[in-house]
Structure formats: C-alpha cells, structure tokens
Amino acid sequence: MLFSAVQLRTVFPMLFDFDSAIAVRPLGDGVYDTAIRNGWDIMGNANGGYLLALVAEAMKAESGRRDPITITAHYLSPGLVGDATTTVKVVKQGRRFATVQAALQRDGKDVMRVIGTFGDVDTDALHPRVSLTQPEMPAYDNCPRRDSGDGAPAIMDKVPVRLHPDDVGFAIGKPSGRGIMRGWVQFADERPHDTVSLLLASDALPPPIFNIDGETGWVPTVELTVHVFARPSPGPLLCSFSSHIVQAGMLEEDGTMWDSRGVCVATSRQIALQPRV
Amino acid sequence: MLFSAVQLRTVFPMLFDFDSAIAVRPLGDGVYDTAIRNGWDIMGNANGGYLLALVAEAMKAESGRRDPITITAHYLSPGLVGDATTTVKVVKQGRRFATVQAALQRDGKDVMRVIGTFGDVDTDALHPRVSLTQPEMPAYDNCPRRDSGDGAPAIMDKVPVRLHPDDVGFAIGKPSGRGIMRGWVQFADERPHDTVSLLLASDALPPPIFNIDGETGWVPTVELTVHVFARPSPGPLLCSFSSHIVQAGMLEEDGTMWDSRGVCVATSRQIALQPRV
C-alpha cells in the first residue's frame, strides 16, 4: 500500500517542515525551549511571522487553548538561528478566553515580547456579516513561483509564495507604483494551514512598499498584530497586503488572508521601518 | 486683562478635564497611582480609550519618551471608578524607541495588560506617501451634537462627539445598514488633542455595529491597538470607524483619525464582543 507524502504527514505531523520548526518543549515554570530553526530566515534573521508562530505554540501549550484570537508582537532584536527560550505567563484564564504574555529570549537578550488572547475560533467559519471582498487573483497555477534563487530569502524554499503577476515588478526594477502585494501562500510540503500558520502567512510576502517606488532591502517589523477569525480549509491561502501610510521612516502594512472556501480567516497589521539596504 | 478659558488652560494644563483625568503619580519601582476618574464611563465602566490614555501616561513617564507610536491593550475586567495602580516596565530602552509593558490593576485584579513602543512622532506630520483618503464629512457645526441625556454614556459630557448625520440612525431605531460610524471628536472644554488623546478618540464613538442592524448595548473590547503617525493640529478630530467582519459573537473595528490639516494622525483596530444588552 502506498501513501502520498501528504497522507503520511497527516498521520505524523512532525514530518511537515513547519511543525518541526515550531515544535516547543516545556522546561517547567512556564519556560519553553523554542530554538530558532534554520531555513526560515531573510538574510540570516528569522522571519517575523515564523517567530510569532513559534512563540504562539508555547503560548498555546501553556494556556491549554487551541487558537490565537488576537496576538501582538513587538520585535526588539533580530532572531538569529540557534538556542532560544520563551517564558510564558497566563495572565488570565477565563471561561471563554485566556490572556497570555510571552518573552522570546536568545543569549539572555529579548528578541520579542508578545501578548495574546487565545480561545477557540469558529469551526464552521460562517461569516454572516463580512463586507470585505476577496482580492482579485489569478489561479494558483497561473502565478509565478518565487523561490530562493537569485538572492531571495531562504524562507522561500519552505514557503514558495506565488505572487500576483501584476505585483512582481519590483523584482526586476519595475515596481507597479501601488503599495499592494498579493500572493498565494502554501508550504512546499503542502502542510495544511491552521490558525498558527496564519501567523507565518501574515509576514510571508515581500513588503508592499517594494512596489511603491522600488525601494527594497530589510524592512524590520516594529510591531505585528494578527486577528484570527476562522480555521482555514486545506489548500493555498490567498493573501493580500497593502501599505497606505509611509512617513518619517516608518510604514504600516495591512493584510487579509483567505482560504480556499473564500473565507477571510485572518487579518494583520504591522508597523515597520522603511527598507534598510 | 481677560483670558479665555482656552488661554488659561494652555498655561495651566491641569485645568483641562482630560489632563486631570489622566494625571499619574509615581510611587516608585515603576508603580504609578492611576486612579480611574469619574465621568469617563459607559454604564459605570470606564471607556476603553480613556483607560488606554491613562496607562499610556504612566508608560510615557517611565520611558521618558513623548509619544506612543504603537500601543496594544488587552482588556481583562471592567475598569470601575476608584483607586487603581499601574505597574510599568521598560523592556528595552533603545536609541529611537522604548518598548514598554504595563499592567493596570484595581483591588489586586488585572483590568488591562498593555504593550507599547514609544518615541517621537514626526512633528511636521508630512505624509509624502499616503493613499488613504479623508472620509466625506459635513462641517463640525453642521453635525448633530450627541450628549449625555437620554441614557447616552456619561463620557459624552466630557467628549460631546458630533456624528455624521447619515450615521445617527441607530439612536432612533433606524440604522443605516452600513457598519460605519463617523464623527468629530472634540473635548467639551476644547483641550487641544495630542498623541495621548488620540488613544481616547480611538474608542470614543458609538460602535459601527450599531448601524449594521440596530443592535446596541455594551460592546466589550477584547483588544485595541492604536498606531500614531503625527501630532494632531488644534481643532476637532475627524474620526471614522468601520466594522468589516462580525462573526461567532465577535467583531472587528477599524478606525482612522484626521486632524484639521487633513493629516491622518492615527489608525486603530480592535476586536470586541457583540453587543450585550
């Protein structure tokens, strides 16, 4: 009897790269081993969405809840690959929600401080009153794959995003002039998305400012907040990010994430610094 | 020689109601007396924006910085009027920013947990690249004043918001059917806005869900994040809030705040529970 890689990994989830990369181990007293794994970085610094997912796993474990509902991270120093611990404190364990704080530290130095409210998101994902509309997007197979060749970030091997053909101009010096970046986000090993991988997705695309006037480089996130509304159905996520305000060296970035049913499963917003070359 | 109330209060800022209401007193070791003052409540519970401004004053004092840049509060229990303290910890004091955590407690119980990055916002408030457009809004004097009569919240005496005539229908059982609430936010004593009063403004209007289908009642905020982009110029703030997603008993609310120059000085986003009557 033969099994596909996806079938096998459904039974043995740690076979998926992302699950190995966000695995956490309790050390007691709310402290977790949250080593920062290799391959989820951009120029040596772990991706902010990956770090948020890693810390959220420890927060989930400590709170005993299934899903992040709203989670905010402040980024204090780069997350280099290697040993790291997260100290988690459940501030309030309520009936419906748990409020949780966490600090990710590496070599005794703060990498992130995080606060989140955890609980159960709606399983049925019904959206009786949603006035957002799904972004226009060509089918997955019709979007160019962006991979880690040509100086693209290492994380692109793990999550080879497929950008909207109208939004790829920045990569060849022809930015669209609009602060928009749309793409399909799917793991290379086709791990199904869940409410934790939405945190990764919230920071997985190139920043939309790359398309405003062609500025590129490292865009350090100051703060990232993600709101989770539903568990995603299987398949690639449609993600759309926009920057509306760029001033005084800072920018904001707004995101929406849609599953294969067309449900808006999460939104995100971040404050970042303008690109540093 | 005669002085207007505004002139006097510019010299003696504590004469403004809001400054008295958010005054904090250091008790040592990062603990501040942050008594929750009377008159800033909705059915006995202090307004979430007022509480955020109060805690931000303590965070500002402890960090030595002038402005909140990005600040997030999780609300754990109602903030009743009376004695309260805030414990503040500066997590990182950097060159450009300070990252600060705070806990507001009353009778030994957590009311709020807050994390913020503080610094100096752009004084010139230039927006070289802003793609947001200011909401359509009739002049201040042409908008109906909403005050504290007829069961409206007590805070309306301190901040008598003037709503867009198209958005007041909920109050007479004729909701517009759209999840939008626009209004002018100005203090009754004409205190000029600053970056801390923007935090109050971010939660000062009736929730836009009131206009979706006429549901009203208490809408408890779970989490509120405000991003500050510029110091506001004098005069009323134009504020616009929208709810795009309402599901499974929860809703999100997005806000933009504009000063008299037409500058987008802040944005906000919150997750709240659906109205409880």
Side-chain angles (χ1 to χ4, degrees):
Chain A
M1 197 169 182
L2 293 172
F3 297 92
S4 72
V6 168
Q7 284 172 323
L8 269 179
R9 283 166 162 151
T10 302
V11 182
F12 304 106
M14 294 309 253
L15 294 178
F16 286 118
D17 278 347
F18 183 63
D19 293 293
S20 307
I22 61 169
V24 303
R25 190 167 55 94
L27 303 173
D29 291 331
V31 180
Y32 287 77
D33 174 355
T34 52
I36 300 171
R37 274 71 160 202
N38 199 21
W40 301 83
D41 61 287
I42 297 162
M43 296 185 271
N45 299 319
N47 169 264
Y50 161 69
L51 292 176
L52 184 57
L54 177 65
V55 171
E57 275 295 293
M59 296 167 88
K60 265 180 62 180
E62 189 72 11
S63 68
R65 305 291 181 133
R66 288 199 300 184
D67 304 301
I69 304 278
T70 162
I71 187 165
T72 293
H74 286 243
Y75 293 84
L76 306 179
S77 64
L80 307 179
V81 171
D83 289 343
T85 57
T86 297
T87 304
V88 182
K89 186 173 165 48
V90 177
V91 177
K92 180 184 175 187
Q93 188 64 266
R95 190 178 53 80
R96 185 166 182 185
F97 302 125
T99 306
V100 189
Q101 288 183 317
L104 172 65
Q105 293 178 315
R106 199 184 179 294
D107 294 330
K109 194 175 172 185
D110 272 309
V111 173
M112 284 163 81
R113 291 276 174 145
V114 182
I115 185 167
T117 292
F118 287 70
D120 283 352
V121 301
D122 178 30
T123 308
D124 295 332
L126 298 175
H127 277 208
R129 287 177 288 178
V130 172
S131 58
L132 294 174
T133 48
Q134 193 173 318
E136 176 275 319
M137 188 79 185
Y140 183 77
D141 290 333
N142 296 335
C143 292
R145 176 178 162 154
R146 194 166 177 253
D147 55 27
S148 67
D150 305 328
I155 192 174
M156 291 297 166
D157 274 344
K158 306 287 192 188
V159 193
V161 301
R162 294 183 179 223
L163 297 180
H164 193 300
D166 294 349
D167 299 342
V168 296
F170 74 92
I172 52 166
K174 291 180 179 170
S176 67
R178 301 184 309 151
I180 298 175
M181 194 71 73
R182 292 160 294 183
W184 295 106
V185 175
Q186 171 78 308
F187 289 103
D189 59 13
E190 296 185 19
R191 175 196 187 276
H193 281 287
D194 58 16
T195 55
V196 171
S197 71
L198 295 176
L199 308 180
L200 172 77
S202 74
D203 198 36
L205 262 54
I209 189 174
F210 287 4
N211 271 329
I212 294 184
D213 60 7
E215 272 190 274
T216 59
W218 186 34
V219 179
T221 301
V222 174
E223 175 262 324
L224 168 62
T225 295
V226 182
H227 293 165
V228 175
F229 295 101
R231 292 204 185 88
S233 58
L237 281 179
L238 196 177
C239 300
S240 176
F241 298 90
S242 307
S243 283
H244 302 287
I245 301 179
V246 183
Q247 86 156 11
M250 307 192 69
L251 57 91
E252 63 83 39
E253 190 180 316
D254 265 16
T256 57
M257 286 156 257
W258 306 77
D259 73 8
S260 54
R261 296 166 299 185
V263 170
C264 180
V265 287
T267 62
S268 67
R269 179 174 279 176
Q270 68 170 270
I271 289 287
L273 302 180
Q274 274 190 254
R276 295 177 175 179
V277 183
Chain B
M1 197 168 185
L2 293 173
F3 297 92
S4 72
V6 169
Q7 284 172 323
L8 270 179
R9 283 166 161 153
T10 303
V11 181
F12 304 106
M14 294 309 252
L15 294 178
F16 287 117
D17 278 347
F18 183 63
D19 292 294
S20 307
I22 61 167
V24 303
R25 191 167 54 93
L27 304 173
D29 291 330
V31 180
Y32 287 77
D33 174 356
T34 52
I36 299 171
R37 274 69 161 205
N38 198 22
W40 300 83
D41 61 287
I42 297 161
M43 297 184 271
N45 299 319
N47 169 267
Y50 162 68
L51 291 177
L52 184 56
L54 177 65
V55 172
E57 276 295 292
M59 296 168 88
K60 265 179 63 180
E62 188 72 11
S63 69
R65 305 291 180 135
R66 289 199 298 184
D67 305 301
I69 304 279
T70 163
I71 187 165
T72 292
H74 286 243
Y75 294 83
L76 306 180
S77 65
L80 307 178
V81 171
D83 290 341
T85 57
T86 297
T87 303
V88 183
K89 185 171 166 50
V90 177
V91 178
K92 180 184 175 186
Q93 189 62 267
R95 189 178 54 80
R96 185 167 182 184
F97 302 124
T99 306
V100 189
Q101 288 183 317
L104 172 65
Q105 292 177 317
R106 199 183 179 296
D107 294 330
K109 194 175 172 186
D110 271 308
V111 174
M112 286 163 79
R113 291 277 173 144
V114 183
I115 185 167
T117 292
F118 287 70
D120 284 351
V121 299
D122 180 28
T123 309
D124 295 333
L126 297 174
H127 276 208
R129 287 177 289 178
V130 172
S131 57
L132 295 173
T133 49
Q134 193 173 317
E136 177 276 317
M137 189 79 185
Y140 182 76
D141 290 333
N142 296 334
C143 292
R145 176 178 162 153
R146 192 166 180 254
D147 56 26
S148 66
D150 305 327
I155 191 174
M156 291 298 165
D157 275 343
K158 305 286 191 190
V159 192
V161 301
R162 295 182 178 224
L163 296 181
H164 192 301
D166 294 349
D167 299 342
V168 296
F170 74 92
I172 52 167
K174 293 182 179 170
S176 66
R178 300 184 310 151
I180 297 176
M181 195 69 74
R182 293 159 293 183
W184 294 106
V185 174
Q186 170 79 307
F187 289 102
D189 60 12
E190 296 186 18
R191 176 195 185 277
H193 281 287
D194 58 17
T195 55
V196 170
S197 71
L198 295 176
L199 306 180
L200 172 77
S202 74
D203 197 36
L205 262 55
I209 190 174
F210 288 4
N211 271 329
I212 294 185
D213 59 8
E215 274 190 273
T216 59
W218 185 35
V219 179
T221 301
V222 174
E223 175 262 323
L224 168 61
T225 296
V226 183
H227 292 165
V228 176
F229 295 101
R231 293 205 182 87
S233 58
L237 281 179
L238 195 178
C239 299
S240 177
F241 298 90
S242 307
S243 283
H244 302 287
I245 300 178
V246 183
Q247 88 157 10
M250 307 192 69
L251 58 91
E252 63 82 39
E253 190 180 314
D254 265 16
T256 57
M257 289 157 254
W258 306 78
D259 73 7
S260 54
R261 295 167 299 186
V263 170
C264 178
V265 288
T267 61
S268 68
R269 178 174 281 175
Q270 68 171 267
I271 289 287
L273 301 181
Q274 273 189 254
R276 295 176 175 179
V277 182

Short mmCIF file of all heavy atoms in Angstrom, two decimals, chain A residues 237-259:
data_model
loop_
_atom_site.label_atom_id
_atom_site.label_comp_id
_atom_site.label_asym_id
_atom_site.label_seq_id
_atom_site.Cartn_x
_atom_site.Cartn_y
_atom_site.Cartn_z
N LEU A 237 -3.37 29.62 0.72
CA LEU A 237 -4.04 30.82 1.23
C LEU A 237 -3.84 31.96 0.24
O LEU A 237 -2.72 32.19 -0.23
CB LEU A 237 -3.38 31.28 2.53
CG LEU A 237 -3.68 30.61 3.84
CD1 LEU A 237 -2.85 31.29 4.93
CD2 LEU A 237 -5.17 30.71 4.18
N LEU A 238 -4.90 32.70 0.01
CA LEU A 238 -4.78 33.91 -0.77
C LEU A 238 -4.51 35.06 0.21
O LEU A 238 -5.33 35.31 1.11
CB LEU A 238 -6.09 34.15 -1.54
CG LEU A 238 -6.09 35.13 -2.70
CD1 LEU A 238 -7.47 35.13 -3.35
CD2 LEU A 238 -5.68 36.52 -2.33
N CYS A 239 -3.37 35.72 0.05
CA CYS A 239 -3.01 36.80 0.97
C CYS A 239 -2.83 38.10 0.21
O CYS A 239 -2.28 38.11 -0.90
CB CYS A 239 -1.70 36.46 1.69
SG CYS A 239 -1.80 34.94 2.66
N SER A 240 -3.29 39.18 0.80
CA SER A 240 -3.15 40.49 0.17
C SER A 240 -2.70 41.50 1.22
O SER A 240 -3.30 41.61 2.29
CB SER A 240 -4.49 40.92 -0.43
OG SER A 240 -4.40 42.22 -0.97
N PHE A 241 -1.61 42.21 0.91
CA PHE A 241 -1.06 43.19 1.85
C PHE A 241 -0.98 44.55 1.15
O PHE A 241 -0.67 44.63 -0.03
CB PHE A 241 0.33 42.76 2.32
CG PHE A 241 0.30 41.46 3.07
CD1 PHE A 241 0.45 40.26 2.41
CD2 PHE A 241 0.07 41.44 4.44
CE1 PHE A 241 0.40 39.04 3.09
CE2 PHE A 241 0.01 40.23 5.13
CZ PHE A 241 0.17 39.04 4.46
N SER A 242 -1.28 45.60 1.93
CA SER A 242 -1.23 46.96 1.39
C SER A 242 -0.55 47.88 2.37
O SER A 242 -0.71 47.72 3.59
CB SER A 242 -2.65 47.52 1.17
OG SER A 242 -3.42 46.63 0.41
N SER A 243 0.19 48.86 1.86
CA SER A 243 0.73 49.92 2.70
C SER A 243 0.06 51.22 2.30
O SER A 243 0.13 51.64 1.13
CB SER A 243 2.25 50.05 2.54
OG SER A 243 2.90 49.03 3.24
N HIS A 244 -0.60 51.86 3.27
CA HIS A 244 -1.33 53.09 2.99
C HIS A 244 -0.61 54.32 3.50
O HIS A 244 -0.88 55.43 3.06
CB HIS A 244 -2.72 53.03 3.65
CG HIS A 244 -3.55 51.88 3.20
ND1 HIS A 244 -4.12 51.83 1.96
CD2 HIS A 244 -3.89 50.73 3.81
CE1 HIS A 244 -4.79 50.69 1.84
NE2 HIS A 244 -4.65 50.00 2.94
N ILE A 245 0.24 54.14 4.52
CA ILE A 245 0.91 55.28 5.13
C ILE A 245 2.40 54.98 5.22
O ILE A 245 2.81 53.97 5.81
CB ILE A 245 0.36 55.56 6.54
CG1 ILE A 245 -1.14 55.86 6.48
CG2 ILE A 245 1.12 56.71 7.20
CD1 ILE A 245 -1.77 56.12 7.84
N VAL A 246 3.21 55.83 4.61
CA VAL A 246 4.67 55.73 4.70
C VAL A 246 5.16 57.12 5.05
O VAL A 246 4.97 58.06 4.28
CB VAL A 246 5.30 55.30 3.35
CG1 VAL A 246 6.81 55.15 3.50
CG2 VAL A 246 4.68 54.02 2.85
N GLN A 247 5.73 57.28 6.22
CA GLN A 247 6.20 58.62 6.58
C GLN A 247 7.23 58.56 7.68
O GLN A 247 7.21 57.67 8.53
CB GLN A 247 5.04 59.52 6.97
CG GLN A 247 4.62 59.42 8.41
CD GLN A 247 3.92 60.69 8.86
OE1 GLN A 247 3.59 61.54 8.05
NE2 GLN A 247 3.70 60.81 10.13
N ALA A 248 8.13 59.52 7.63
CA ALA A 248 9.13 59.69 8.68
C ALA A 248 9.87 58.39 8.97
O ALA A 248 10.14 58.05 10.12
CB ALA A 248 8.48 60.24 9.96
N GLY A 249 10.17 57.64 7.91
CA GLY A 249 10.97 56.43 8.08
C GLY A 249 10.19 55.21 8.53
O GLY A 249 10.76 54.16 8.75
N MET A 250 8.86 55.35 8.66
CA MET A 250 8.04 54.23 9.11
C MET A 250 6.93 53.96 8.11
O MET A 250 6.57 54.83 7.32
CB MET A 250 7.45 54.53 10.48
CG MET A 250 8.53 54.93 11.48
SD MET A 250 7.92 54.97 13.17
CE MET A 250 7.68 53.23 13.45
N LEU A 251 6.39 52.76 8.18
CA LEU A 251 5.28 52.43 7.31
C LEU A 251 4.34 51.47 8.02
O LEU A 251 4.74 50.79 8.97
CB LEU A 251 5.78 51.81 6.00
CG LEU A 251 6.64 50.56 6.09
CD1 LEU A 251 5.77 49.30 6.03
CD2 LEU A 251 7.64 50.54 4.95
N GLU A 252 3.10 51.44 7.56
CA GLU A 252 2.16 50.45 8.07
C GLU A 252 1.84 49.50 6.93
O GLU A 252 1.99 49.83 5.75
CB GLU A 252 0.90 51.11 8.64
CG GLU A 252 0.06 51.90 7.66
CD GLU A 252 -0.87 51.02 6.85
OE1 GLU A 252 -1.45 50.08 7.41
OE2 GLU A 252 -1.03 51.28 5.63
N GLU A 253 1.41 48.31 7.32
CA GLU A 253 1.09 47.28 6.33
C GLU A 253 -0.12 46.51 6.85
O GLU A 253 -0.11 46.01 7.97
CB GLU A 253 2.32 46.37 6.20
CG GLU A 253 2.25 45.40 5.06
CD GLU A 253 3.51 44.52 5.00
OE1 GLU A 253 4.64 45.04 5.14
OE2 GLU A 253 3.33 43.30 4.83
N ASP A 254 -1.15 46.44 6.01
CA ASP A 254 -2.42 45.78 6.35
C ASP A 254 -2.58 44.52 5.52
O ASP A 254 -2.37 44.57 4.31
CB ASP A 254 -3.59 46.69 5.94
CG ASP A 254 -4.06 47.54 7.09
OD1 ASP A 254 -3.32 47.66 8.07
OD2 ASP A 254 -5.17 48.10 6.98
N GLY A 255 -3.01 43.43 6.14
CA GLY A 255 -3.18 42.21 5.37
C GLY A 255 -4.52 41.54 5.59
O GLY A 255 -5.14 41.68 6.65
N THR A 256 -4.99 40.84 4.57
CA THR A 256 -6.13 39.93 4.72
C THR A 256 -5.73 38.58 4.16
O THR A 256 -4.96 38.49 3.21
CB THR A 256 -7.40 40.43 3.98
OG1 THR A 256 -7.08 40.59 2.59
CG2 THR A 256 -7.89 41.75 4.54
N MET A 257 -6.24 37.51 4.78
CA MET A 257 -5.91 36.14 4.37
C MET A 257 -7.19 35.35 4.14
O MET A 257 -8.08 35.38 4.99
CB MET A 257 -5.07 35.48 5.48
CG MET A 257 -3.64 36.02 5.50
SD MET A 257 -2.82 35.84 7.12
CE MET A 257 -2.95 37.53 7.73
N TRP A 258 -7.26 34.67 2.99
CA TRP A 258 -8.48 33.99 2.56
C TRP A 258 -8.18 32.53 2.29
O TRP A 258 -7.18 32.21 1.66
CB TRP A 258 -9.00 34.65 1.28
CG TRP A 258 -9.18 36.12 1.41
CD1 TRP A 258 -8.19 37.08 1.38
CD2 TRP A 258 -10.41 36.82 1.62
NE1 TRP A 258 -8.75 38.33 1.56
CE2 TRP A 258 -10.11 38.20 1.70
CE3 TRP A 258 -11.74 36.41 1.74
CZ2 TRP A 258 -11.09 39.17 1.91
CZ3 TRP A 258 -12.72 37.38 1.93
CH2 TRP A 258 -12.39 38.74 2.02
N ASP A 259 -9.08 31.64 2.73
CA ASP A 259 -8.85 30.23 2.46
C ASP A 259 -9.54 29.80 1.17
O ASP A 259 -10.14 30.63 0.46
CB ASP A 259 -9.25 29.36 3.67
CG ASP A 259 -10.75 29.26 3.87
OD1 ASP A 259 -11.54 29.72 3.01
OD2 ASP A 259 -11.15 28.70 4.92
#
